[in-house]
Amino acid sequence: MAVSTRARVTRAAVAAVALAVAVGAEASVGRALSEGGRQRLVAEQTTGYDRADPLVASRSVQRPALIADVPQRKVLNGLPARLAPDGAGVDVGYADAPVVLTLFEDFRCSSTRDFERRQGAELAALAARHQVLVRYVMESSLDQRLPGPGAVLATNAARAALSRGAFPLFHALLFANQPDEWVNGFTVPRLLAIAGTVPHLRGPAFDTEVRTVWYRTWVDAAQTAYNDAHVRFGTPSMLVDGNEVDLGAQHELLSDPKALGAFVAQAAARKATAEQY
């Protein structure tokens, strides 16, 4: 009888210990899952993946990407920028430049990204030497065909940067850090992170303008200016003093800095000659 009672007590004690271990393990797993969920949420918000989009739903969550810099940072920091006369474009450079080079671009366009990465430093140098005034017209129609509003958000943020004298560098950094076209990567957190690498740009007012798409009316006006131009080559497209450049015949202008510099010099020479008569 006593032996049977001791056995029951022993079995009860073992069961209690097992239950405590199980409860502790479940709590640990719950904490891990909860923490993992928070980490996934932060990663998704930071990288800007549209998890509902089938094209990106299968991609693994990534850590926030590092922010790439541009070699022409110092030159861009010294360039003036202002609204173009029509209010829809942005003029970068000096008003006494003999040539106005209009560029139609989309912050989400990979072809424009390639152009800016290859020719951005040359454009900045030409503008700094008063040889060309670069007029940017930023359209955002890729958002109509791709997931998310990345082009609109980036264009709005660039306009907010213009209000603080930081458009030239911020514009270049956006293309240097452009995500894949099919990924909604230009999210508000990502745009603010990029802006954080531009001196004196971040602040409560700027951050609010980025978060609320404060300049949406201007973004729409820029889109209208692009539509009304009826350029043949989409983005990027180029005008010299209002005349479209045939980039199909002069495709080297998209990738060869020496060719672009010579092209601008020839345009200035032709204009000077024409003004003599």
Side-chain angles (χ1 to χ4, degrees), residues 55-166:
L55 289 171
V56 299
S58 62
R59 301 187 183 187
S60 60
V61 175
Q62 301 177 0
R63 293 179 180 274
L66 296 177
I67 297 172
D69 203 355
V70 291
Q72 67 272 29
R73 167 181 282 267
K74 184 175 180 180
V75 177
L76 292 172
N77 268 331
L79 284 176
R82 57 199 172 280
L83 284 175
D86 65 357
V90 177
D91 285 352
V92 175
Y94 299 92
D96 61 352
V99 175
V100 177
L101 187 72
T102 302
L103 295 173
F104 295 93
E105 299 185 338
D106 187 321
F107 281 120
R108 201 166 182 173
C109 172
S110 58
S111 296
T112 306
R113 174 203 63 201
D114 294 343
F115 167 73
E116 280 291 337
R117 290 182 182 180
R118 293 166 180 165
Q119 300 286 49
E122 179 67 12
L123 286 169
L126 291 169
R129 294 197 296 265
H130 296 237
Q131 292 178 300
V132 68
L133 176 70
V134 185
R135 178 166 295 161
Y136 291 102
V137 179
M138 307 306 304
E139 70 111 10
S140 49
S141 63
L142 278 177
D143 282 353
Q144 300 170 15
R145 303 189 295 278
L146 300 173
V152 166
L153 294 181
T155 303
N156 172 77
R159 177 63 181 85
L162 176 65
S163 296
R164 291 155 181 84

Side-chain angles (χ1 to χ4, degrees), residues 170-191:
F170 188 58
H171 165 272
L173 288 172
L174 287 176
F175 282 113
N177 292 276
Q178 185 194 89
D180 185 276
E181 285 186 3
W182 290 96
V183 175
N184 181 32
F186 275 144
T187 61
V188 167
R190 182 61 175 166
L191 291 168

